[in-house]
């Protein structure tokens, strides 16, 4: 790949015309990165046609309608008797039907009303709904144009899985800019054939004209899926080869201190058999001359942190350092709060380093790391900032492994001499896939929960019964429980996620004044602060309303209830993850799956799986079996290896093909190396 193209792919989205730092940060939340490349890998999940109709009665409620309307009257909403009433614009269509356009966010009212002047015609496009009384309603239309300007409404629109604060229009605008640059500026035209073919496939997927273009077996989808798998399988093959190479040998570390016995003495509980077996696996790895590359798969709450601690202690017996990297500040703080006192009892220096550390205090921490004095460093990405150096980094532990990009993992490894790597993951993947996905790693499974853990009681409940639920929750809160209340990501409309969370927050605040709210549009610091207050055992914040931003792995022992709204919109694995926020202490915990009132048979069956089993492996298998193609929502949280184009269920034959091609490969071609960069599959030890 030409340098120019390579640089373009790495460009920060904030430098794309019309984006800027704020929107780029929102993209980062959705894409998991903020480079042009991250955008290109985020494909549309659907296609929407917006052909203009004259009569809303021709359109099925629930579908998108694009219709010419004559504006009749405005009715300003507001708060009436404590209830929020929407503002309404009453219109008629050409068939004489009365169509009401509603706006819930009264702040922008002037703006909307100006776009819909009384007596005039406008072409409006949005989701058509029918009220129980038979009224036609469009809430927050996506397009309002004059009749002359109706061609601004795209007849065919790619629909991207969006997130908080991003609209489909923004996605389309960025896409257009990016592909224009690829065509005109960044040297794609004189790239080699394979590279051009690859970007051509990307273009087809980003500009679909028909839903069939995005089906898993559509020509370009298969192509991209294959490239993606090839990148991954090649990385695995290379890593395997390199691990056998003498240059990548694990340095021999002499045993200097006895700490393990002391560790077992101060352990606050008996380890489970599975925890102990995993620790044995790790210690056996540490006795070999290839660096450890072990993945610990343990269901949520199976006690992976203590296994990590044992590994750190084993490493400290040689005098070498360990780094424990968590995906968020909050999680890092939690690990530190738990592990630092144990370290103190063993005479081990433990420290925490996150993005919050600044100035002199930070410099002191860095000196201690560089001198080797700090033996266990807990933190976030900050642990591998450029200016952080280690005296002898022996072990890198990555918690909730899937949240880290492979290249970040590599940067961390680069700070030591072939350090051991231990990855902890709470998301089981089906055994049938484990080899193709983690073929370069050894796997330990913690398939046992600490004794005395009660299974979480999971029930499903239609949204219409929410009042009864609030009553039940109230009783539990009176008894000292803490409650997570999760509101879903609404795939398309940007504001609605936040609005949904905010509305639920306002509702519930009437019952408990001191509840918290976190959502993706909040400033990160503020979000962390609320989260920390909720997690604090001594705080009197009984309930936290959250969009799915609530963190994987956060440990709030007093939290015994989690309510998940519109549970049918989440993937099974994601629901299981969320459910794992409770049931982490000795108390009985509950998970309530609130679902829409009209849940189809499939939806019912999916939720039943959750109600019936607590076993992450079983759920993962079921998830794989049921995983639909359009079901992108929640996959980011599902924790499986994040593929952009590969569909686990539909592309199983491609797994085999790619794996064979990678094994037979004699040293990677430049194109394969490019693919590995593109898909961030640079697992190789020294590469
Ligand atoms: P996860 O595997 O999800 O990271 P944690 O390591 O956070 O789980 O452990 C969950 C809770 O269980 C913690 O409060 C931890 O102290 C506790 N725990 C871990 N191992 C045991 C054990 N063997 N017996 C009792 N409690 C344990
Ligand atoms: Mg954990």
């Amino acid at each position: 790949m030409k340098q120019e193209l390579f640089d373009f792919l790495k460009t920060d989205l904030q430098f794309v015309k019309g984006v800027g730092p704020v929107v780029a940060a929102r993209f980062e939340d959705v894409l998991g990165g903020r480079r042009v490349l991250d955008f290109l890998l985020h494909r549309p999940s659907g296609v929407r046609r917006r052909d203009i109709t004259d009569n809303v009665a021709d359109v099925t409620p629930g579908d998108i309608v694009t219709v010419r309307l004559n504006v009749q009257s405005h009715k300003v909403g507001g708060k009436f008797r404590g209830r929020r009433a929407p503002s309404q614009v009453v219109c008629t269509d050409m068939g004489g039907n009365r169509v009401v356009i509603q706006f819930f966010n009264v702040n922008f009212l002037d703006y909307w009303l100006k776009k819909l002047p009384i007596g005039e015609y406008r072409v409006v496009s949005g989701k058509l709904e029918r009220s129980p009384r038979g009224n036609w309603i469009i809430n927050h239309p996506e397009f309002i144009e004059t009749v002359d300007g109706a061609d601004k409404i795209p007849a065919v629109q790619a629909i991207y899985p969006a997130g908080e604060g991003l609209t489909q229009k923004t996605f389309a605008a960025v896409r257009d800019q990016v592909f224009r640059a690829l065509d005109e500026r960044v040297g794609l035209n004189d790239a080699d054939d394979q590279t051009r073919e690859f970007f051509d496939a990307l273009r087809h997927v980003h500009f679909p004209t028909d839903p069939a273009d995005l089906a898993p077996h559509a020509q370009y989808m298969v192509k991209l899926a294959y490239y993606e798998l090839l990148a991954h399988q090649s990385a695995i093959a290379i890593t395997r080869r390199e691990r056998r190479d003498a240059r990548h040998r694990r340095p021999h570390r002499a045993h200097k201190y006895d700490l393990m016995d002391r560790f077992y003495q101060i352990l606050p509980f008996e380890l489970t058999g599975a925890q102990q077996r995993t620790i044995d696996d790790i210690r056996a790895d540490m006795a070999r001359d290839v660096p450890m590359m072990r993945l610990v798969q343990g269901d949520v709450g199976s006690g992976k942190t203590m296994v990590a601690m044992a590994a750190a202690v084993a490493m400290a017996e040689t005098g070498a350092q360990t780094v424990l990297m968590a995906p968020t500040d909050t999680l890092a703080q939690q690990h530190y709060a738990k592990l630092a006192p144990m370290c103190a009892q063993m005479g081990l220096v433990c420290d925490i380093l996150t993005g919050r550390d600044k100035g002199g205090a930070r410099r002191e921490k860095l000196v201690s790391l560089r001198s080797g004095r700090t033996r266990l460093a807990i933190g976030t990405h900050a642990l591998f900032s450029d200016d952080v150096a280690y005296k002898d980094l022996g072990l890198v532990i990555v918690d909730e492994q899937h949240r880290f990009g492979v290249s970040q993992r590599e940067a961390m490894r680069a700070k030591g001499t072939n350090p051991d790597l231990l990855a902890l993951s709470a998301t089981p993947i089906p055994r049938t896939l484990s080899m193709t996905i983690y073929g370069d790693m050894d796997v330990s499974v913690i398939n046992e929960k600490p004794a005395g853990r009660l299974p979480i009681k999971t029930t499903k409940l239609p949204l219409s019964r929410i009042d009864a639920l609030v009553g039940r929750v109230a009783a539990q809160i009176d008894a000292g429980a803490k409650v997570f209340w999760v509101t879903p990501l609404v795939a398309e409309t940007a504001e609605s996620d936040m609005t949904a969370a905010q509305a639920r927050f306002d509702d519930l605040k009437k019952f408990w004044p001191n509840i918290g709210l976190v959502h993706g549009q909040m400033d990160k610091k503020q979000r962390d602060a609320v989260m920390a207050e909720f997690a604090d055992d001594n705080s009197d914040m009984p309930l936290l309303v959250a969009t799915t931003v609530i963190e994987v792995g956060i440990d709030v022992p007093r939290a015994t209830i989690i309510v998940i709204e519109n549970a049918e919109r989440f993937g099974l694995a994601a629901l299981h993850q969320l459910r794992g926020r409770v049931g982490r202490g000795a108390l009985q915990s509950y998970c309530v799956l609130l679902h829409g009132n009209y849940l189809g048979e499939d939806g019912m069956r999916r939720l039943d799986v959750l109600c019936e089993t607590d076993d992450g492996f079983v759920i993962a298998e079921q998830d794989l079996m049921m995983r639909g193609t359009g079901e992108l929502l929640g996959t980011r949280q599902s924790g499986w290896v994040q593929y952009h184009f590969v569909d686990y269920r539909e592309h199983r034959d491609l797994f085999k093909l790619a794996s064979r091609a990678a094994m037979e490969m004699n040293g990677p071609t430049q194109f394969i190396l490019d693919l590995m960069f593109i898909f961030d599959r640079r697992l190789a030890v020294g590469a």
Side-chain angles (χ1 to χ4, degrees):
M1 201 160 43
K2 291 254 163 50
Q3 190 63 35
E4 205 181 358
L5 181 55
F6 187 72
D7 289 342
F8 175 65
L9 295 180
K10 290 199 295 187
T11 306
D12 191 310
L13 282 170
Q14 69 169 308
F15 302 118
V16 173
K17 205 173 128 210
V19 176
V22 175
V23 175
R26 289 182 189 160
F27 270 118
E28 187 172 8
D29 276 349
V30 177
L31 311 177
R34 50 190 287 161
R35 302 164 304 167
V36 165
L37 177 58
D38 299 308
F39 182 87
L40 282 170
L41 296 178
H42 186 74
R43 66 176 179 85
S45 55
V47 176
R48 179 169 295 156
R49 300 201 60 95
R50 293 186 188 271
D51 308 296
I52 297 179
T53 40
D54 276 338
N55 192 326
V56 289
D58 295 340
V59 176
T60 317
D63 283 356
I64 295 297
V65 66
T66 305
V67 61
R68 188 147 60 108
L69 296 174
N70 184 239
V71 181
Q72 306 284 337
S73 64
H74 293 165
K75 189 171 144 203
V76 175
K79 287 213 169 182
F80 291 114
R81 295 188 210 99
R83 296 191 55 179
R84 269 178 205 254
S87 293
Q88 298 184 323
V89 177
V90 180
C91 308
T92 47
D93 71 5
M94 300 305 111
N97 297 298
R98 191 178 121 108
V99 181
V100 180
I101 303 174
Q102 296 196 128
F103 298 99
F104 288 87
N105 195 340
V106 204
N107 295 340
F108 295 111
L109 195 60
D110 284 350
Y111 170 76
W112 295 124
L113 295 188
K114 264 195 209 115
K115 294 196 95 176
L116 292 160
I118 292 171
E120 295 196 18
Y121 285 92
R122 287 292 181 269
V123 181
V124 170
S125 186
K127 186 168 165 188
L128 181 70
E129 290 179 64
R130 188 135 210 213
S131 76
R133 282 142 112 216
N135 290 321
W136 299 103
I137 296 173
I138 303 174
N139 289 319
H140 288 265
E142 290 148 85
F143 295 90
I144 301 172
E145 299 294 343
T146 59
V147 176
D148 288 343
D151 57 350
K152 284 192 207 128
I153 303 176
V156 180
Q157 188 188 14
I159 300 299
Y160 287 87
E164 303 189 34
L166 289 172
T167 63
Q168 291 300 329
K169 283 184 199 173
T170 313
F171 271 93
V174 172
R175 173 199 60 187
D176 292 350
Q177 292 279 345
V178 166
F179 279 94
R180 198 165 308 139
L182 282 172
D183 282 341
E184 292 165 11
R185 292 205 317 271
V186 294
L188 179 58
N189 285 327
D190 23 274
D192 59 280
D193 289 350
Q194 280 180 310
T195 304
R196 283 215 320 275
E197 247 180 68
F198 174 78
F199 282 94
D200 190 47
L202 271 182
R203 179 193 317 271
H204 276 91
V205 165
H206 277 280
F207 290 92
T209 54
D210 189 282
D213 294 345
L214 297 172
H217 294 291
Q219 182 188 356
Y220 295 103
M221 290 289 289
V222 169
K223 203 164 216 174
L224 291 170
Y226 179 72
Y227 284 140
E228 184 164 31
L229 285 168
L230 186 60
H232 190 140
Q233 295 300 323
S234 303
I236 288 175
I238 294 169
T239 311
R240 278 207 184 139
R241 237 167 270 171
E242 296 218 350
R243 283 181 80 190
R244 273 183 253 132
D245 185 328
R247 279 176 305 149
H248 300 296
R249 285 284 150 78
R250 182 179 190 278
H252 175 73
R253 291 194 165 85
H255 183 101
K256 291 189 190 146
Y257 314 96
D258 288 319
L259 295 167
M260 223 52 206
D261 289 343
R262 180 81 183 119
F263 169 71
Y264 283 107
Q265 276 167 17
I266 62 173
L267 250 186
F269 38 67
E270 287 273 307
L271 293 176
T272 63
Q275 280 172 315
Q276 188 55 58
R277 267 197 306 280
T278 305
I279 294 169
D280 294 344
D281 287 345
I282 292 167
R283 300 196 70 187
D285 288 345
M286 289 181 175
R288 296 169 61 200
D289 65 355
V290 288
M292 166 162 73
M293 272 186 83
R294 182 165 293 277
L295 173 74
V296 176
Q297 281 198 13
D299 219 337
V300 278
S302 61
K304 292 183 291 296
T305 317
M306 228 20 99
V307 169
M309 181 64 184
V313 173
M315 186 49 69
E317 287 195 319
T318 71
Q321 296 167 289
T322 294
V323 145
L324 169 57
M325 188 161 49
T328 65
D329 274 18
T330 319
L331 272 177
Q333 303 281 359
Q334 272 199 355
H335 284 328
Y336 183 71
K338 193 163 273 179
L339 302 183
M342 292 183 76
C343 287
Q345 283 178 281
M346 283 182 281
L348 279 178
V349 179
C350 171
D351 206 349
I352 178 164
L353 187 74
T354 69
R356 285 188 206 167
D357 296 300
K358 301 261 146 68
R362 178 166 188 277
R363 269 196 300 278
E364 248 170 63
K365 291 182 179 206
L366 298 196
V367 168
S368 183
L369 286 172
R370 202 174 313 131
S371 71
R373 188 175 153 269
T374 302
R375 291 291 159 75
L376 174 59
I378 298 174
T380 57
H381 302 70
L383 288 166
F384 59 101
S385 313
D386 286 342
D387 59 345
V388 180
Y390 298 86
K391 174 143 188 282
D392 180 14
L393 180 56
L395 170 63
V396 176
I397 306 175
V398 186
D399 192 18
E400 305 300 350
Q401 169 254 356
H402 62 276
R403 289 274 200 106
F404 284 100
V406 173
S407 44
Q408 290 167 317
R409 210 161 88 182
E410 285 314 308
M412 191 75 245
R413 297 175 61 96
K415 300 255 182 215
T417 325
N418 300 331
D420 291 327
L421 179 78
L422 182 67
L424 312 178
S425 170
T427 42
I429 51 161
R431 284 177 189 84
T432 46
L433 283 175
S434 176
M435 263 315 285
T436 38
I437 295 176
Y438 291 116
D440 59 329
M441 300 190 94
D442 302 306
V443 179
S444 300
V445 175
I446 307 188
N447 52 2
E448 188 182 345
K449 295 230 169 132
R453 238 2 114 60
L454 295 164
I456 301 164
K457 287 193 176 150
T458 304
T459 48
K460 53 187 201 300
L461 198 74
L463 262 169
S464 55
R465 306 240 335 257
I466 194 167
D467 290 345
L469 173 65
V470 170
R472 265 168 62 195
V473 167
Q476 293 282 334
I477 286 182
D478 289 344
K482 289 197 178 208
V483 182
F484 286 106
W485 192 297
V486 181
T487 57
L489 277 183
V490 185
E492 287 163 30
T493 43
E495 276 120 44
S496 46
D497 303 329
M498 190 195 64
T499 318
Q502 181 76 47
R504 184 59 71 213
F505 173 76
D506 291 344
D507 265 5
L508 294 173
K509 214 172 159 58
K510 289 179 209 135
F511 300 94
W512 303 281
N514 192 32
I515 64 178
L517 170 67
V518 291
H519 57 71
Q521 290 192 333
M522 260 162 100
D523 167 73
K524 199 169 162 337
K525 256 202 206 119
Q526 208 184 346
R527 197 157 91 187
D528 280 352
V530 176
M531 206 81 103
E533 186 179 349
F534 180 69
D536 180 359
D537 233 9
N538 301 314
S539 81
D540 59 350
M541 182 183 283
L543 187 146
L544 182 69
V545 177
T547 56
T548 47
V549 299
I550 60 164
E551 332 228 336
V552 173
I554 193 172
D555 194 17
V556 185
R558 263 177 64 197
T560 50
I561 304 180
I562 183 162
V563 176
I564 306 172
E565 271 192 60
N566 287 110
E568 72 275 15
R569 295 195 196 155
F570 293 90
L572 282 186
L575 288 173
H576 182 58
Q577 271 293 322
L578 285 169
R579 174 167 66 177
R581 297 309 108 232
V582 301
R584 301 173 78 83
L587 299 170
Q588 177 63 57
S589 288
Y590 304 89
C591 169
V592 182
L593 306 171
L594 268 180
H595 56 79
N597 292 330
Y598 309 100
L599 190 61
E601 199 176 310
D602 274 4
M604 206 54 116
R605 212 162 40 112
R606 277 162 31 91
L607 296 190
D608 281 340
V609 173
L610 265 299
C611 297
E612 281 156 20
T613 179
D614 199 19
D615 181 333
F617 285 94
V618 174
I619 291 167
E621 286 285 356
Q622 293 286 334
D623 201 19
L624 178 66
M625 298 310 296
M626 295 184 186
R627 190 168 281 255
T629 46
E631 198 194 306
L632 280 165
L633 210 71
T635 44
R636 263 194 53 147
Q637 287 226 337
S638 75
W640 293 10
V641 169
Q642 299 294 307
Y643 288 120
H644 300 276
F645 302 100
V646 176
D647 180 313
Y648 281 98
R649 191 177 52 176
E650 302 287 339
H651 293 142
R652 288 180 116 163
D653 48 338
L654 291 185
F655 273 88
K656 289 201 199 87
L657 270 180
S659 161
R660 195 165 318 135
M663 301 260 251
E664 286 164 6
M665 159 185 87
N666 270 325
T669 61
Q670 186 58 45
F671 179 63
I672 297 262
L673 290 174
D674 290 346
L675 282 182
M676 283 165 59
F677 160 74
I678 286 170
F679 290 110
D680 194 20
R681 298 284 187 252
R682 220 155 28 84
L683 295 154
V685 177

